[in-house]
Amino acid sequence: MFGNIPERSHRRAGVVAREPSRRLHHPDFDARGTQGWKSIEAEGKLPESGWRKEQQWALDMGLPGSDSIIDKSIPTFARGELPHFAGINTFLKAPYVENVRDVGKYDAAVIGIPFDSGTTYRPGTRFGPQGIRRISALYTPYNYELGVDLREQMTLCDAGDVFTIPANLEKSFDQITKGVSHVASSGALPIMLGGDHSIGFPCVRGIADVTSKRIGIIHFDRHIDIQEKDLDERMHTTPWYWATNLPNVSATNLVQLGIGGWQVPRYGVAEARKRGTNVLTISDIEQMGLEKAAEVALELAWKDTDAVYISFDVDSLDCGFVPGTGWPEPGGFLPREALKLLGLVTAPGICGLEVVEVSPPYDTSDITALFGVRVVVEALGSMVAHGNLGKHKSIIDKPVSF
């Protein structure tokens, strides 16, 4: 971009220009063996048919561009991925399924759950699905390191939002459970955008209701969230108490990653001890390493179960990275640690994923919502890369029909 700058142009009054450092020679180093080069090679093996199909669809739906436009793939009206700043904000600009009975035509379906009546401090997560969808327009469906293109290797739709009832937890829980059970029954992988963490219970219940198989849970959080009640209701500090009361969801298969700090109610700790859950703190994970931590989490969550559900609370990250959340806590994961760990535990396949506690009113430059997007695409990308997307379908033996 800037061209070659002559060495003398570096000189300013009082400044002595340094000679360019000599390039170190490493005779045994082969750049072709790096992940960076392998990723370059992997991209060349990916198909482009999905992208070409979308370009043609955009022209058909949005009219061919004006005569002055040289790139003839550009339509008059924005349709599809480009430009990133335009268009209707579904998640990743995936097709909006107006008739939710059509979700079974897709590998995965995004479900918004705009609900924050379970919060006990800062509200705003009812706007989480909107915020996540909006900033998801920044992303493409391709990941360089994984060598995955979601547009080419899977199908994704956006089913819109569950109609939640503000200030009524139980009616909202019933709505959420019905929506999730519908999507799970269709065969599409349910991807839930919260919403506060109280939705964890009705989301798991929605999947548990359509299978006789056993489900484990891997839960990323700084808070233990397993007390029976909070403020006399089933708030966002209680989802795993109720989820692990379900007949096919055992507390011994609940693995909680990142728990710690000064916001862990003792009621919840006592319940975790009573039920025998599994907790790895940030220190535990640092000491054993991410790969070992993932191995332990998978072993515990999958022991005598048939599927695993992922619950990702964005406040599991250090609050410097996620200001837009209801209960920020210092000392959590770094983003790259959480993403690496998430990719490892989702690789074998999952039966559902929720991203919770994104609160756009408290966010800065959409960075918390952006991380919520990254959680979803990282999980999908890992499953696609390992050939395990869709593995959950085998457990759906009690599908519902509405």
Side-chain angles (χ1 to χ4, degrees):
M1 179 182 293
F2 299 105
N4 294 319
I5 302 175
E7 183 65 25
R8 67 174 179 270
S9 69
H10 288 278
R11 300 180 183 276
R12 300 195 306 271
V15 178
V16 178
R18 295 182 178 180
E19 289 295 321
S21 59
R22 292 185 178 274
R23 190 174 181 178
L24 296 177
H25 180 57
H26 296 282
D28 297 326
F29 179 75
D30 181 7
R32 301 300 175 95
T34 63
Q35 182 193 14
W37 183 258
K38 290 177 181 177
S39 296
I40 288 176
E41 291 186 319
E43 189 278 332
K45 299 175 183 178
L46 290 171
E48 297 181 353
S49 56
W51 174 229
R52 301 303 175 199
K53 182 179 179 180
E54 182 176 303
Q55 287 180 314
Q56 186 58 53
W57 171 84
L59 291 171
D60 293 343
M61 297 294 108
L63 304 180
S66 64
D67 292 343
S68 62
I69 299 295
I70 297 173
D71 183 348
K72 297 307 177 184
S73 68
I74 294 177
T76 298
F77 290 87
R79 295 291 185 271
E81 178 188 340
L82 299 176
H84 292 283
F85 54 81
I88 306 301
N89 286 136
T90 60
F91 185 82
L92 283 188
K93 296 191 178 177
Y96 171 57
V97 178
E98 189 170 12
N99 185 344
V100 295
R101 292 174 178 83
D102 291 337
V103 293
K105 298 176 181 178
Y106 298 85
D107 295 322
V110 170
I111 311 167
I113 305 180
F115 187 70
D116 59 9
S117 296
T119 55
T120 56
Y121 188 52
R122 300 200 308 201
T125 55
R126 68 179 60 186
F127 302 110
Q130 288 182 4
I132 293 171
R133 287 187 176 107
R134 183 177 63 252
I135 197 61
S136 76
L138 181 64
Y139 272 11
T140 75
Y142 165 68
N143 180 275
Y144 179 74
E145 295 99 329
L146 289 174
V148 162
D149 190 323
L150 300 181
R151 176 168 42 212
E152 304 294 341
Q153 296 170 282
M154 65 165 291
T155 54
L156 176 70
C157 72
D158 194 321
D161 292 344
V162 172
F163 195 134
T164 57
I165 313 300
N168 194 309
L169 286 158
E170 301 307 324
K171 289 181 180 180
S172 294
F173 287 177
D174 290 344
Q175 288 281 88
I176 294 165
T177 293
K178 184 172 182 178
V180 173
S181 66
H182 168 72
V183 171
S185 293
S186 77
L189 178 71
I191 305 291
M192 282 68 70
L193 309 179
D196 70 58
H197 217 155
S198 69
I199 73 169
F201 162 57
C203 286
V204 171
R205 184 174 63 178
I207 298 171
D209 280 354
V210 301
T211 180
S212 63
K213 307 299 184 180
R214 290 168 56 88
I215 298 171
I217 300 170
I218 296 179
H219 165 218
F220 290 75
D221 209 326
R222 290 292 278 157
H223 311 107
I224 206 158
D225 290 353
I226 197 173
Q227 65 196 70
E228 181 180 3
K229 292 283 184 74
D230 196 350
L231 307 179
D232 207 40
E233 296 287 348
R234 300 202 281 191
M235 306 296 273
H236 66 165
T237 49
T238 72
W240 310 129
Y241 178 96
W242 301 101
T244 58
N245 276 351
L246 297 168
N248 52 345
V249 183
S250 172
T252 58
N253 297 118
L254 170 62
V255 185
Q256 301 177 277
L257 305 176
I259 310 303
W262 294 85
Q263 298 172 2
V264 183
R266 291 182 61 183
Y267 305 107
V269 176
E271 195 62 42
R273 182 169 61 248
K274 176 182 174 182
R275 296 191 177 211
T277 70
N278 307 282
V279 175
L280 295 181
T281 66
I282 295 294
S283 293
D284 289 329
I285 294 167
E286 281 184 334
Q287 291 174 17
M288 66 177 64
L290 296 173
E291 287 79 6
K292 182 62 178 180
E295 181 183 329
V296 169
L298 288 169
E299 181 179 347
L300 294 169
W302 277 96
K303 185 178 180 182
D304 300 321
T305 64
D306 304 283
V308 165
Y309 180 88
I310 302 292
S311 176
F312 198 104
D313 189 328
V314 295
D315 71 31
S316 61
L317 270 68
D318 184 281
C319 61
F321 299 101
V322 285
T325 192
W327 278 91
E329 170 69 5
F333 290 111
L334 296 176
R336 64 173 175 266
E337 294 172 338
L339 292 171
K340 174 68 172 180
L341 194 52
L342 177 67
L344 291 170
V345 299
T346 54
I350 60 176
C351 64
L353 168 69
E354 66 183 28
V355 183
V356 297
E357 298 291 351
V358 172
S359 182
Y362 291 95
D363 208 358
T364 301
S365 301
D366 296 319
I367 60 173
T368 308
L370 180 63
F371 194 81
V373 176
R374 185 64 188 267
V375 168
V376 175
V377 293
E378 203 73 15
L380 291 174
S382 181
M383 286 185 283
V384 167
H386 291 87
N388 288 320
L389 182 66
K391 191 175 179 180
H392 66 285
K393 294 180 182 180
S394 63
I395 72 164
I396 308 301
D397 57 7
K398 295 167 49 182
V400 296
S401 180
F402 303 109

